[in-house]
Amino acid sequence: MASNSEKSVKLQIREIPGDYGLPFLSPIKDRLDYFYNQGRDQFFESRSQKYQSTVFRSNMPPGPFIASDPKVIVLLDGKSFPVLFDVTKVQKKDLFTGTYMPSTKLTGGYRILSYLDPSEPMHAKLKQLIFFLLKSSRDRVIPEFHTTFTELFETLETEIASKGKASFADPNDQACFNFLGRCFYGTNPADTKLGTDGPTLVAKWVVFQIGPLLVLGLPKLLEELLLHTFPLPPFLIKNSYRRLYDFFYSSSTSILEEAVKIGISREEACHNLLFATCFNTFGGMKIVFPSLMKWIGKSGVDIHTQLAKEIRSAVKLDGGKVTIAGLENMPLMKSVVYEALRIEPPVPLQYGKAKRDLVIESHDAAFEVKEGEMLFGYQPFATKDPKIFDRPEEYVPDRFVGEEGEKLLKHVLWSNGPETESPTIGNKQCAGKDFVVMVSRLLVVELFLRYDSFEVEVGSSALGSSVTLTSLKKATF
């Protein structure tokens, strides 16, 4: 358990195992292993076993011709991984997507906040703007979530009644996008020129940025050439992006006025608001919400009953209203959210480039890293570290309940930092960390205020879980 891994022990320096193989050829072979021959988890697992180490050298996709240097030092355990959050030791400039950076033509010609290192002057200004966006919309979060997700559940109920099942994906995407428009900007995208096109426009735009890291299920040769070997030309997505930009520019007048006061041009601010809303927040909800439905759905009726009783009792004590304070009085509900974020973190890949010569430590050894070397962490292994978590591969709904459970929250790292820490203008932790946790809690609360239980069928998608609802049992108590 965690206490054992935290004892101060002088670890022996070990040379980092592994090598990068032949230039050009080995990165392509590793890419094929990563995407097709082994798959992501087995790619890392097999190399960790081969080297008998959770720290080793490897190539990371996409490699040629998109990334000029695919060489990384892989970190797979919960002890070495947090070095990636320490901006005194690693720099984060242009590393958001890893060993390559998408064209700035996809973001209006600007390097967006996610690609800036905290040492760059615009980082503090842009993160301050996102904090302002979150603060200015906080009173709209709970009511707009209730309105939008009531519509979602009604849609799902109608489809289950007529077809016997309902896919969660598209209705959830639509609900999340409309909720963010209503919550952040006071505008329902469905009532504007965007109509219901927002999620589709965002999905296409995102593929142009992270296509080199995805498997979309196309024929392998076509996918290799189209996504993994050459970047997709930005001009193909220009009109779609313009439609999104126009919506955000017309809907965010007060936020853009604040940007000017901070010292950011309206144009740069708008591109950043679009990215923060569509890529960071909508992208996060698009992955986290199906994950929550999957894990809670598979937990069964007993857990559902416990959640329903806890949630309804807490809401009743608050006069029948869902409140921020009330959400804090639902320990099992909070735990099921944290456990989903632990077992299936929405952003699994993190990078950092060593600012100076470093010594990093796993549980078993210490390793010397040279200035300029790229560190890469695969978070699903770090947050399923058996030396930190009992039954790490299992979804344990009440894992974070109680004093001992809460001590483990520092090892929940989904937000590019520990759950026990907060984003600041000086770090790279997700500015919307608390917002994502809050809306995830609201999804569970709205679900169990309305239903006693539900059943799901689970598959996989390019970005995570594919969930189909097969029953929604209406609340009976």
Side-chain angles (χ1 to χ4, degrees), residues 184-391:
F184 286 162
Y185 308 104
T187 304
N188 185 1
D191 297 334
T192 70
K193 289 180 182 177
L194 267 187
T196 57
D197 293 344
T200 304
L201 296 174
V202 173
K204 289 194 290 186
W205 172 65
V206 167
V207 167
F208 274 69
Q209 294 172 80
I210 62 171
L213 303 176
L214 298 178
V215 173
L216 298 181
L218 303 172
K220 186 163 76 171
L221 183 60
L222 178 63
E223 198 164 63
E224 271 294 286
L225 289 172
L226 194 63
L227 292 181
H228 304 152
T229 307
F230 303 101
L232 292 166
F235 75 85
L236 293 175
I237 201 73
K238 187 176 180 181
N239 289 339
S240 295
Y241 183 76
R242 190 75 211 181
R243 287 185 66 195
L244 289 169
Y245 180 88
D246 288 346
F247 166 76
F248 282 93
Y249 197 87
S250 63
S251 303
S252 57
T253 304
S254 62
I255 312 297
L256 297 179
E257 287 172 356
E258 178 67 18
V260 172
K261 292 177 188 173
I262 296 171
I264 310 167
S265 72
R266 289 175 180 267
E267 185 181 47
E268 183 170 6
C270 190
H271 288 295
N272 273 276
L273 292 172
L274 191 165
F275 194 94
T277 306
C278 296
F279 194 112
N280 300 134
T281 315
F282 172 75
M285 294 169 74
K286 181 182 174 71
I287 297 170
V288 172
F289 281 16
S291 175
L292 274 168
M293 296 297 289
K294 173 180 82 172
W295 291 111
I296 298 172
K298 289 167 68 175
S299 294
V301 175
D302 286 350
I303 289 295
H304 295 178
T305 303
Q306 291 177 50
L307 282 165
K309 286 178 177 176
E310 176 186 89
I311 288 165
R312 293 170 199 176
S313 297
V315 171
K316 189 176 180 180
L317 285 172
D318 259 346
K321 293 182 179 179
V322 177
T323 65
I324 293 174
L327 293 175
E328 292 299 326
N329 295 321
M330 305 176 188
L332 181 59
M333 179 279 290
K334 294 196 296 183
S335 181
V336 298
V337 170
Y338 287 137
E339 179 69 341
L341 292 168
R342 177 198 72 85
I343 201 168
E344 200 167 27
V347 183
L349 318 177
Q350 272 93 29
Y351 290 82
K353 191 169 283 188
K355 283 186 171 181
R356 49 185 167 81
D357 291 355
L358 301 172
V359 174
I360 57 172
E361 294 184 352
S362 69
H363 296 296
D364 308 309
F367 303 90
E368 293 179 335
V369 174
K370 298 296 182 188
E371 180 183 347
E373 289 194 294
M374 181 77 94
L375 300 171
F376 158 77
Y378 184 52
Q379 191 176 137
F381 279 24
T383 53
K384 289 186 279 193
D385 186 334
K387 294 190 177 180
I388 293 173
F389 293 103
D390 286 332
R391 295 184 288 158

Side-chain angles (χ1 to χ4, degrees), residues 39 101 169 177 204 262 338 363 378 381 409 420 440 453 457 476:
M101 181 182 170
F177 192 80
K204 289 194 290 186
I262 296 171
Y338 287 137
H363 296 296
Y378 184 52
F381 279 24
L409 284 173
T420 49
S440 299
S453 186
E457 293 173 354
T476 56

